[in-house]
Amino acid sequence: MCSQSSLLLICTFVVLLLGSPHRIRAGEPVSDRQYFPATGHFVGEPFWAAWRGTPEALRVLGYPLSEPFIEESFSEPGHYFRVQFFERAVLEEHSPADAGPAQAPLVMGRLLGTLLAESRAQSPPFQPVAATTATARRAWDSVTRHVLGNTPAPFMRFYDTHGGLATFGHPLSEQFQERNADTGQTYWVQYFERQRLEWHPEEGDPTAQVQLGRLGEEYHAAHAAKLDAAAFAQRSRDDKAPEPFVYGMNATLYYTDGNRAAHIAAGAGFGWIRQQVLWRAHQAADKTIAWEDLDQIVAAVDGAGLKLLLCVVQAPDWATGTPGATGFPDQAHRADYASFLGAVARRYGKKVAAYEIWNEMNLASENGGRPVPPTADYLDLLSMAYDAVKAANREALIISGGAGPTEWGRGRDVAVSDLAFFHELFGDPRFWSHTDFVGVHVFGYANPPETLWPENPGPYPNWRDSREFYFRRVEDVRGEMVQAGHGERQLWMTEFGWATANTTPMHEFGNNNSFEQQADYLVRAFQMGRTRYAPWLGAMFVWNLNFAVTWQAAGNPQHEQGAYGVLNGDWSPRPALTALGAMAKP
């Protein structure tokens, strides 16, 4: 706790000396945020709005000590919130009860004063007092039954002029004298749910006589071993802002009501759509591009206020070197794939926020049934595509293709283990210089999200004796990244989900999952992603939104792709969509 007004003056001088809070340069694809050179941290939205809205915020909240990160609440065990630490407070981001795409999150101070007061509940100053004629002349809080007044310390005046209940919470004690551990001096203090006020009448400047506890700093010092150390590492003024966590839906917007699908995703509180694009359906051998269908898709997603991730796959046969074959382009035509993506990026600009370079490139089925191409060939494609897209739109994000989860290791004519494929990719410097995020696909089969072979297998006899059948496969991919020395990079889970009953061979596992279980598993998976896997998991895209609609229109309503959907074939919501819409999205 500051004990002298000179410290406050020094703090103010440091701001003047090192520069005022810095607004990130115009044109960068980030939220509004401010840089504080005194501590080397940014404050971005929604915390920046809360900081700006706090009277004398530097005095009340102090400088930021961390970047935002996800942490379990000590006052609500089992609930996790996005938080940011400041010298005198910890701010938590909460989803409002009526959360929707346009509803701003709520930012509240963590109950640090309550935590400090818990062990002192039986001490006389923390014992509730009755309302009397004397207390009526001051403010008696009927909730906590404590008095907020200006005698002897002018705490009520400070409370009222610096944010009141929203900033400090209810009083938890009466005014009493307490020894300051830093200075050894005794001062009048009062505890509140979110703060501790201290009175220094010896200070000549009346505005410095009421000072606040450095509760954020104290909490960090006491619990540093359990906190995300990376969030507290100082940043450079020029550091790029991290992407907000992405809540996404895989959708098919071709040959269906794309506007309706996009607005359904937006209505459920999701911010992104991932759409797979078939290169062969858009570009002819003479290199002319048919734009109409893609124009409609981009317009539908943009019109719903969503961001769009395009995953471009399947070369036309003129680019594969084999007449009639689709799949991966041959060496002579990889530059044509990159050129096509560059044309897309130039045409749509910021309306396409990200590009995923290929899909499940470790499976022969994704190469038109031909053998899985060498990892080096994929790196060639990735590098060319990255350069082409960035040349057209430097703000576009590039995600490496999500490998299909499999432990198959018996030949490239069927598949290559996703971990083996990632191991090769991660060992090549070109991969890390030509990706913004690492794409990954995981599926739960009939296994709940918390299960994993062999230590905690799923409940059914089949599709459980390999780690490829589990949502937690993502942990194995993360392990490969750490082993490669790139644990600082983020994974984007561009496909994950659970199928329900279907008639597709080799997907019978879906028959074990009811619609209600599908809903429960998806929500639990998101909760794991935002807590256990923070901050190294940056995005989760549900597979899928509306494939049941297009498969029903095609006369095959029981196809496995439709079984993963959160909409029925008639556009009505399955329990999964309802649950995902109600789910908090910190």
Side-chain angles (χ1 to χ4, degrees):
M1 177 181 294
C2 292
S3 59
Q4 298 181 7
S5 61
S6 58
L7 181 56
L8 183 61
L9 294 174
I10 291 172
C11 291
T12 304
F13 175 72
V14 168
V15 177
L16 296 174
L17 179 65
L18 297 181
S20 60
H22 168 69
R23 185 177 301 278
I24 208 72
R25 287 186 294 271
E28 293 193 34
V30 297
S31 301
D32 191 23
R33 63 178 187 155
Q34 301 290 324
Y35 181 66
F36 287 79
T39 53
H41 288 288
F42 291 92
V43 180
E45 299 296 359
F47 300 112
W48 175 234
W51 203 94
R52 292 197 313 270
T54 302
E56 290 192 78
L58 191 61
R59 183 178 182 185
V60 174
L61 299 176
Y63 289 109
L65 299 178
S66 76
E67 302 299 303
F69 63 101
I70 300 292
E71 189 192 16
E72 184 176 13
S73 170
F74 60 74
S75 57
E76 299 181 62
H79 292 268
Y80 292 78
F81 300 100
R82 187 167 176 258
V83 301
Q84 185 162 18
F85 277 58
F86 294 80
E87 291 172 309
R88 296 179 173 85
V90 176
L91 298 184
E92 290 183 343
E93 178 183 337
H94 292 250
S95 297
D98 58 345
Q103 183 66 43
L106 301 174
V107 175
M108 295 184 285
R110 178 165 278 185
L111 302 177
L112 297 180
T114 300
L115 184 66
L116 290 173
E118 280 180 347
S119 63
R120 308 176 68 176
Q122 303 307 313
S123 299
F126 293 85
Q127 293 291 304
V129 300
T132 66
T133 303
T135 61
R137 291 196 293 270
R138 293 171 288 169
W140 181 76
D141 191 303
S142 62
V143 175
T144 57
R145 295 188 294 163
H146 284 290
V147 175
L148 176 60
N150 289 316
T151 305
F155 291 150
M156 184 177 184
R157 186 177 304 116
F158 186 88
Y159 181 97
D160 288 341
T161 57
H162 289 81
L165 183 65
T167 299
F168 302 103
H170 297 281
L172 299 179
S173 75
E174 300 301 294
Q175 294 191 21
F176 67 101
Q177 290 187 304
E178 181 176 68
R179 180 179 175 273
N180 185 300
D182 293 332
T183 67
Q185 301 298 310
T186 298
Y187 304 103
W188 285 95
V189 301
Q190 187 166 16
Y191 282 73
F192 296 81
E193 290 175 310
R194 297 184 172 91
Q195 248 304 340
R196 178 183 65 217
L197 299 186
E198 188 171 305
W199 187 40
H200 294 257
E202 73 280 5
E203 296 294 342
D205 182 359
T207 65
Q209 291 180 352
V210 176
Q211 298 177 14
L212 293 91
R214 301 173 70 86
L215 302 194
E217 194 171 89
E218 291 176 20
Y219 185 86
H220 173 237
H223 300 87
K226 298 189 297 184
L227 298 173
D228 178 14
F232 290 86
Q234 291 190 351
R235 270 47 172 187
S236 163
R237 182 190 296 268
D238 295 322
D239 282 356
K240 181 180 178 182
E243 287 291 309
F245 189 84
V246 169
Y247 292 89
M249 286 275 190
N250 281 274
T252 177
L253 305 183
Y254 284 96
Y255 316 122
T256 190
D257 190 342
N259 288 302
R260 184 176 185 180
H263 280 87
I264 287 173
F270 283 71
W272 286 66
I273 289 283
R274 176 179 181 260
Q275 171 68 62
Q276 197 165 95
V277 174
L278 306 185
W279 176 23
R280 62 179 174 82
H282 289 279
Q283 191 166 36
D286 63 2
K287 309 299 175 65
T288 58
I289 299 175
W291 293 108
E292 182 178 359
D293 292 335
L294 200 51
D295 283 348
Q296 293 176 359
I297 288 170
V298 172
V301 175
D302 184 59
L306 303 178
K307 292 188 175 182
L308 179 59
L309 164 61
L310 294 182
C311 176
V312 182
V313 297
Q314 292 193 19
D317 63 355
W318 57 262
T320 65
T322 303
T326 64
F328 206 76
D330 62 14
Q331 183 175 10
H333 293 93
R334 288 172 204 155
D336 290 319
Y337 175 85
S339 178
F340 175 72
L341 264 67
V344 173
R346 286 190 298 274
R347 184 176 182 87
Y348 300 118
K350 294 182 180 179
K351 291 183 179 180
V352 177
Y355 296 84
E356 186 172 4
I357 309 305
W358 217 258
N359 179 75
E360 299 185 348
M361 53 282 182
N362 62 317
L363 306 182
S365 59
E366 293 291 325
N367 193 26
R370 297 178 295 153
V372 175
T375 308
D377 290 359
Y378 175 72
L379 281 166
D380 286 345
L381 193 77
L382 175 67
S383 300
M384 292 179 185
Y386 179 96
D387 291 341
V389 171
K390 293 290 188 177
N393 177 10
R394 69 180 183 86
E395 297 179 4
L397 302 174
I398 301 297
I399 298 92
S400 61
T406 178
E407 293 189 356
W408 180 271
R410 289 175 282 177
R412 303 182 82 91
D413 58 329
V414 176
V416 173
S417 160
D418 55 329
L419 296 189
F421 200 88
F422 278 127
H423 184 79
E424 292 183 11
L425 287 178
F426 295 167
D428 193 311
R430 288 183 298 165
F431 179 82
W432 300 107
S433 62
H434 289 82
T435 54
D436 294 312
F437 301 103
V438 180
V440 62
H441 293 176
V442 293
F443 294 93
Y445 288 71
N447 302 308
E450 299 83 3
T451 58
L452 184 64
W453 178 266
E455 60 268 28
N456 182 25
Y460 300 104
N462 299 316
W463 289 286
R464 74 168 194 157
D465 60 351
S466 172
R467 296 169 77 90
E468 69 189 273
F469 302 138
Y470 293 85
F471 172 76
R472 289 178 59 191
R473 179 65 163 186
V474 67
E475 297 173 20
D476 296 338
V477 179
R478 163 69 175 171
E480 288 288 340
M481 290 174 62
V482 173
Q483 186 177 356
H486 289 278
E488 83 287 355
R489 298 291 286 269
Q490 270 194 342
L491 283 160
W492 274 33
M493 190 181 291
T494 54
E495 290 185 15
F496 83 100
W498 280 263
T500 53
N502 65 88
T503 57
T504 302
M506 301 302 295
H507 289 80
E508 295 88 350
F509 51 82
N511 299 328
N512 294 314
N513 300 326
S514 68
F515 285 152
E516 289 72 22
Q517 284 175 309
Q518 180 195 43
D520 184 43
Y521 292 169
L522 287 170
V523 170
R524 283 156 57 183
F526 268 114
Q527 291 169 342
M528 289 174 64
R530 291 302 284 129
T531 56
R532 183 184 301 186
Y533 299 154
W536 53 262
L537 182 65
M540 295 175 70
F541 285 79
V542 175
W543 178 268
N544 57 66
L545 175 66
N546 67 324
F547 278 57
V549 174
T550 53
W551 277 110
Q552 178 162 302
N556 189 2
Q558 292 299 306
H559 191 276
E560 55 91 5
Q561 288 187 344
Y564 280 95
V566 299
L567 285 173
N568 290 308
D570 62 357
W571 292 94
S572 61
R574 290 177 178 170
L577 182 63
T578 302
L580 291 170
M583 176 185 72
K585 300 176 180 65

